[in-house]
DNA sequence: TAAATAGTGTCTCTAAGACATTATTTG
DNA sequence: CAAATAATGTCTTAGAGACACTATTTA
């Protein structure tokens, strides 16, 4: 809109953050990194979402930046990945006007190789509490995490998302348990099985010895790149308010 | 992550674009602006989504930038507004690595005051074709528009979104027509009415003379800031593929 | 055998879909 | 009256929810 390609105005900082979820030890967990304790950095020592600045010289797209960050922290190449949204403003980063493009990843907990990769910060799985416990985090990451958990929970009501949190093969009881952990409430077994099996996205791959008295049938996804939408949600959803 | 606040690396361009929908003349329409024809600017003369660079000195947040752009082009203050996502990469803008934060707005067609505001570009409503007609647009705006239309159509299947496209008061036949225009297919009247009326978000405000033989009951929203989620979608949705 | 977990069957209920019918206005 | 549109009624159907029941394994 300048008429000539000046573009001399100040540019906001541009970062990409990734909310990485897994289910482990019967809990929903999110991967957080501890920020450097140097007082020259913002939020020294605080926990934050993994992420960082876009590197204009190596990143082709925002999604590439996200995958780069993901691989750095977890070693995982192809998890379920979707965009969550973006956050930007004058006061969220003390270093200046900044915007973050945030992605949302799901991975099976055994897919992660013992982290603590490139740089030396601590990296840890943190339990996501059922209540939105507003723990203190760097930047506006608590708000971002809350939104990610919202999105996860609401999509789990009517999609096959939890399949991306399990290693294959998995059993239907394992999958049901994963739904229950994320939703924080029990799910009826019979209805769950009919729903899952009639959606035609699971392939039987023989019985699994789950260490339980009776072995369960093992399944894998017919297509790891397909998210299934069930015809109805588990339970009707309440209406939501947007800021008008 | 630098250790000292250097931040001397190159920063991407940061813009905000707004996909503004309305329904007019029995069609879904989107507001597009014609870019300057100066050969110094990218995509001279092409149609683009309204938007522009974040102004670090006046914009508090990305949403403020979006509302500013929206007000500039339409004069409207408080439409339905939600974030659609963000797009960024090396080659979408010839001026350099750029990212766009994209918002999505719905407004009643009579709420728009005759546009062509601040700057002199042409501003026009364009019919959104039922088929994703890949018309040539500036930047990656055709892709963004396609995603916005997808999101609109899929949310219309199970929410009260179309209420934000009508001026109050409106009648149920008008609302039903709006659903049909967006979905591109007829909707059963009886089921539609039960669904709308039992969701308890419409308030009767007396009969309206719609120019039709029999006047229809007029309604307004109980809460203009509430989006209602119906318990089931109109029709089961197909599964979708994400890029793994 | 009992204990534990996997898997099935049955019945109810809610809300959408199809489609016929009635109601209210104008000319 | 007829024509047009608004509004309602009836029956079917898909799929979730609750919950009892059967099946298969180990110890």
């Amino acid at each position: 809109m300048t008429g000539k390609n000046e573009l001399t105005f100040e540019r906001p900082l541009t970062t990409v953050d990734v909310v990485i979820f897994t289910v482990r030890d019967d809990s929903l967990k999110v991967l957080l990194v501890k920020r450097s304790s140097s007082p020259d950095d913002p939020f020294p020592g605080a926990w934050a979402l993994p992420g960082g600045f876009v590197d204009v010289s190596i990143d082709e797209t925002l999604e590439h930046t996200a995958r780069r960050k993901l691989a750095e922290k977890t070693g995982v190449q192809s998890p379920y990945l979707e965009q969550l949204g973006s956050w930007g403003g004058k006061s969220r980063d003390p270093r200046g006007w900044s915007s973050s493009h945030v992605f949302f990843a799901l991975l099976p907990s055994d897919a992660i190789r013992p982290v603590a990769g490139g740089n030396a910060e601590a990296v840890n799985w943190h339990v996501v509490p059922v209540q939105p416990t507003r723990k203190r985090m760097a930047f506006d990451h608590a708000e971002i995490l809350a939104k990610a958990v919202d999105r996860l929970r609401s999509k789990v009501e009517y999609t096959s998302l939890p399949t991306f949190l399990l290693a294959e093969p998995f059993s239907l009881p394992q999958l049901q348990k994963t739904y229950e952990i994320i939703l924080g409430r029990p799910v009826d077994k019979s209805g769950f099985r009919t729903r899952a099996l009639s959606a035609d996205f699971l392939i039987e791959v023989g019985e699994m010895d789950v260490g339980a008295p009776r072995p369960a049938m093992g399944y894998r996804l017919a297509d790891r790149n397909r998210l299934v939408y069930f015809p109805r949600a588990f339970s009707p959803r309440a209406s939501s308010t947007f800021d008008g």
Side-chain angles (χ1 to χ4, degrees), chain A:
Chain A
M1 323 300 182
T2 51
K4 307 195 201 98
N5 293 349
E6 307 175 357
L7 307 176
T8 53
F9 47 82
E10 185 187 344
R11 302 179 180 190
L13 294 164
T14 301
T15 62
V16 170
D17 295 310
V18 190
V19 185
I20 306 171
F21 287 117
T22 198
V23 164
R24 181 185 286 211
D25 304 330
D26 292 351
S27 293
L28 176 64
K29 306 208 172 180
V30 61
L31 193 75
L32 299 180
V33 303
K34 195 178 186 113
R35 295 186 57 81
S36 106
S37 50
S38 157
D40 292 330
D41 278 334
F43 300 96
W47 290 98
L49 297 170
F53 294 108
V54 166
D55 186 333
V56 164
S57 64
I58 64 175
D59 294 322
E60 290 282 328
T61 64
L62 292 172
E63 188 177 319
H64 288 174
T65 314
R67 288 190 186 280
R68 180 165 62 79
K69 295 292 167 188
L70 196 55
E72 281 172 15
K73 301 298 181 215
T74 68
V76 174
Q77 298 295 330
S78 298
Y80 175 86
L81 188 66
E82 71 170 54
Q83 207 185 10
L84 179 65
S86 56
W87 277 257
K90 170 182 290 185
S91 50
R92 56 188 296 277
D93 188 322
R95 295 167 295 190
W97 220 105
S98 81
S99 75
S100 270
H101 304 268
V102 183
F103 289 78
F104 172 108
L106 302 181
L107 32 93
S109 73
D110 67 339
I112 297 106
R113 69 155 179 245
V115 272
N119 35 18
E121 317 121 328
V123 181
N124 262 113
W125 291 107
H126 290 241
V127 172
V128 175
V130 180
Q131 309 297 343
T133 175
R134 292 286 151 184
K135 92 190 326 171
R136 60 268 170 263
M137 289 177 65
F139 308 103
D140 49 3
H141 288 189
E143 177 190 335
I144 294 173
L145 176 57
K147 167 98 181 253
V149 172
D150 266 9
R151 172 102 129 232
L152 174 63
R153 293 225 171 94
S154 74
K155 274 185 103 157
V156 164
E157 296 279 0
Y158 60 94
T159 69
S160 65
L161 266 189
T163 56
F164 300 105
L165 292 161
L166 291 173
E168 294 172 320
F170 52 82
S171 71
L172 286 189
Q174 283 171 344
L175 184 58
Q176 181 183 342
K177 188 79 192 292
T178 308
Y179 274 86
E180 292 173 334
I181 288 167
I182 298 170
L183 295 176
R185 65 167 194 267
V187 164
D188 181 76
K189 180 168 50 166
S190 175
F192 179 80
R193 296 178 65 93
T194 327
R195 175 170 154 136
L197 292 175
S198 64
D200 201 46
F201 67 107
L202 295 175
I203 308 229
E204 287 193 3
V205 292
E207 291 194 339
M208 305 172 59
D209 186 354
V210 205
R214 176 178 172 178
M217 179 57 66
Y219 296 88
R220 64 174 180 79
L221 295 178
D223 178 354
R224 284 220 55 106
N225 289 349
R226 194 166 58 118
L227 176 63
V228 174
Y229 289 79
F230 298 113
R232 301 188 199 165
F234 273 121
S235 54
R237 297 194 287 157
S239 59
S240 79
T241 304
F242 65 93
D243 103 297

